[in-house]
Amino acid sequence: MQFPYSWLKTQANPDLSADKLEHLLTMAGLEVEEIDTAAPAFSGVVVAEVKSVEKHPDADRLNVTQVDAGTGELVQIVCGAPNVKPGIKVPCSLPGAVLPGNFKIKPTKMRGVPSNGMLCSTNELGLPDDGVDGLHILPEDAPVGINIREYLDLDDTLFTLKITPNRADCLSVKGIAREVSALTQCAFTPVEIQTASIDSEKKQAVRIDAPADCGRFISRVIENVNAKAATPDWMKQRLERSGIRSISALVDIGNYVMLEIGQPMHVFDADKLSGSLIVRRAQNGETLACLNEKTVTLADNTLVVADEKGALSLAGLMGGEASAVSDDTQNIVLEAAWFAPEIIAGKSRQYGFGSDSSFRFERGVDYCLQADAIERATELVLQICGGAAGEMVEAQGKLPETKQVELRLGRLKTVLGVEIPAEQVEIILQHLGLQPDKIAEGFRVTSPSFRFDIEIEADLIEEIGRVYGYENIPDDYTSGRLKMLALPETKRPRFAVYNEMAARGYREVVSYAFVDEQWEQDFAANTNPIRLQNPLAAQYAVMRSTLIGGLVEVLQNNLNRKQNRVRVFEIARVFSKDLTDQFVQNERIGGLWYGSVFPEQWGEKTRNVDFYDMKADVESLLKNKEVSFVKTEHPALHPGRAANIVSDGKVVGFVGELHPKWLQKYDLPQAPLVFEIDMDAVLGREKTRYQSVSKFQPARRDLAFVMPEAVTHDDLLNALKAATNKLVQEISVFDVYRGTGVPEGMKSVAVKIILQDMENTLTDEVIEPLVAKMIKAAAEKGAQLRA
């Protein structure tokens, strides 16, 4: 919400500087985002009258003017503006003036003719563009010689407020003035609403076919208006300083009333209407050409204002082109309505455009303001454009119910920690327009039509606190002892996971939980993802059930910036549905590794990352846990280079190389390695157990087995482990050989076996039977001891 301080002072005039008012509003919950002056700094510019204009003797596009700038004698200025002529009044910068950008005006010669100043356009003064090619023409009654900053009030302060969604009442000068009055105890003098005299018998019938969506709908016909009438300069100035461009008198009046008292309005060309104005739901497939030159296809969740022929406007959002006023308009219909916020909310995203009206309607407009808005707009139309007004016609639907809320002074003191006198509380409530009635314990307030957020006692306490001033509530220091709870031994600290990933060369990334639906199909084969009702954009339409899509997008962004080695991870939640279609969210850690294993250097040969490099990172992340890797198929991964991560007999994640078809689709030069693991598995760990170190030497046996390629290393190791006892401390593969001496289709796998007895020295009599049992178990899996 943007407004000039000068406009606010017409309804509430506190004795405060702009800086002090900024602080006061911000501390009261109406955050001031920015304050600025109406024009950039410049000096030495006055109002001047052009007395004569002659062609420059040596330049076709220049004129030599004689100007009265209030100095007592005429000043000669060479000017190239196409609209310069005798009799006009314009801004004039005399020698010594400094224009925006520190541009200093000095006497000079232009094509041999002396020029003692410059006649100025709006652009040269840093003012909003007035659409005129040339000088900024001032009103005829502008006093010659007066400083232009004083005449145009260019030192006026512009406030930009960040209004919270619950304070729609402050989206107008009237609403802000009411707040300033409550905060400073200055007089609140809202604009006086004049009742128009009825000089026309013409009426516009209205009807509400969606009473739950529209609580009030009012129309008034004004005949014989002059649509070509110029918008007064004072109105243009207030609109421009509030961030709204002047369009035409009739449109400007509607915008002005919206800014002044907070009620959005619409003006129809009465001669373009057919029968009654009807508020109804749109029909699926119905189309409407809007004022922003967009044609939209409507859905039945949209409210429209229509006549007997069809839709005329998107209710509360945008008017239609077919019924818009133009310079040829002679008769108009003023329309003001109250629409339920929930029917307007979300429509800006649905149709791809919004408006100042929809911004207000979806937050909640005062439902008692419509008649006042019609009367105020009528007054301005008759004043500016002339015409004859007819009677107002009103239709009613379902309006919000007022609520009575009680405020206990004892509760107020308990919550705020300070005792505020009852008389002061009553004054604050009165200035806020809450009309309090005294009761035994405090006050009873009936929530006004402009405050939808006053529902419970806590709301009133908040109002008292912010108006009384949070800075006026004394500080109260408390002290106490806090005992830090020890983390269970079976839980790993979260920060340790981040440190682990950083130590292994990964960088943390954060991506959206909202993702492209195509990612879900590609990387998770999820054809039924959780869909958003109101997505931020088309590419954020569903909730992610895997982290892979976000990691691949990060990789693409890095590749586009010529980064050829990427290691990233993310810890975040994923979302899915269970068998009963209930939503489930789990926290996971995902990682991606792309490019070479080591940064380019002379001490290591360049080698691209492979499955076993990523597997080592996963094992490090799940240290102190028994983990195995089982071959699997996953929609995101290469069919032969993917494995499930199994811990305690449960699949806790997956690891593998990205599928070749996604390399082509997502334009990746080579395959990245990815993993994804449940955070519960990462954070959990087995309880530490201590044991004494054996005094006896361990024994080692190396066995080489020849086995078919179809038999995996895990098959062999699992068979050997099943035949062991407590003496066997370790079984691991240390060599794989294919080639001379090994039949085709076979491979030789060498296994290291470490045996250890805590109480005795191991002898061959103990070791050999155990090794023989293991060889037999391997043979049953098709692995024969190599000769």
Side-chain angles (χ1 to χ4, degrees), residues 619-729:
E619 288 175 330
S620 175
L621 198 58
L622 294 170
K623 56 188 171 186
N624 297 329
K625 294 179 74 73
E626 287 290 334
V627 177
S628 61
F629 297 83
V630 180
K631 181 180 177 182
T632 188
E633 292 188 4
H634 190 281
L637 305 180
H638 190 295
R641 300 171 187 172
N644 279 335
I645 305 167
V646 179
S647 175
D648 297 329
K650 179 183 176 183
V651 176
V652 297
F654 59 83
V655 60
E657 183 181 294
L658 201 66
H659 199 291
K661 63 182 178 182
W662 307 139
L663 303 187
Q664 182 177 5
K665 180 172 181 177
Y666 293 95
D667 197 23
L668 303 178
Q670 65 188 58
L673 276 297
V674 296
F675 73 82
E676 190 173 305
I677 311 172
D678 290 336
M679 275 300 287
D680 286 343
V682 176
L683 295 176
R685 62 182 179 185
E686 295 179 358
K687 189 173 182 179
T688 303
R689 291 179 174 83
Y690 300 91
Q691 62 182 28
S692 60
V693 178
S694 176
K695 299 178 181 179
F696 304 97
Q697 290 287 340
R700 170 171 174 163
R701 294 291 186 270
D702 293 342
L703 304 176
F705 295 95
V706 177
M707 59 188 191
E709 290 282 2
V711 179
T712 66
H713 304 164
D714 273 350
D715 292 338
L716 175 61
L717 293 178
N718 289 337
L720 295 176
K721 289 176 182 178
T724 62
N725 59 24
K726 65 179 182 179
L727 297 179
V728 178
Q729 302 297 311

Side-chain angles (χ1 to χ4, degrees), residues 61-81:
R61 297 185 179 181
L62 297 179
N63 294 295
V64 180
T65 67
Q66 299 296 323
V67 175
D68 179 7
T71 60
E73 58 184 21
L74 296 182
V75 180
Q76 179 172 293
I77 296 176
V78 178
C79 176

Side-chain angles (χ1 to χ4, degrees), residues 52-66:
S52 66
V53 177
E54 296 180 0
K55 294 296 295 181
H56 191 289
D58 197 27
D60 293 338
R61 297 185 179 181
L62 297 179
N63 294 295
V64 180
T65 67
Q66 299 296 323

Side-chain angles (χ1 to χ4, degrees), residues 277-294:
L277 283 179
I278 307 163
V279 181
R280 61 171 173 81
R281 289 290 185 100
Q283 299 171 3
N284 275 323
E286 194 173 4
T287 60
L288 176 67
C290 297
L291 288 173
N292 60 0
E293 300 181 352
K294 289 186 178 181

Side-chain angles (χ1 to χ4, degrees), residues 331-351:
N331 307 304
I332 64 171
V333 174
L334 298 177
E335 171 259 301
W338 183 86
F339 301 119
E342 54 269 20
I343 192 63
I344 307 300
K347 298 302 180 291
S348 297
R349 289 195 297 271
Q350 182 176 341
Y351 292 105

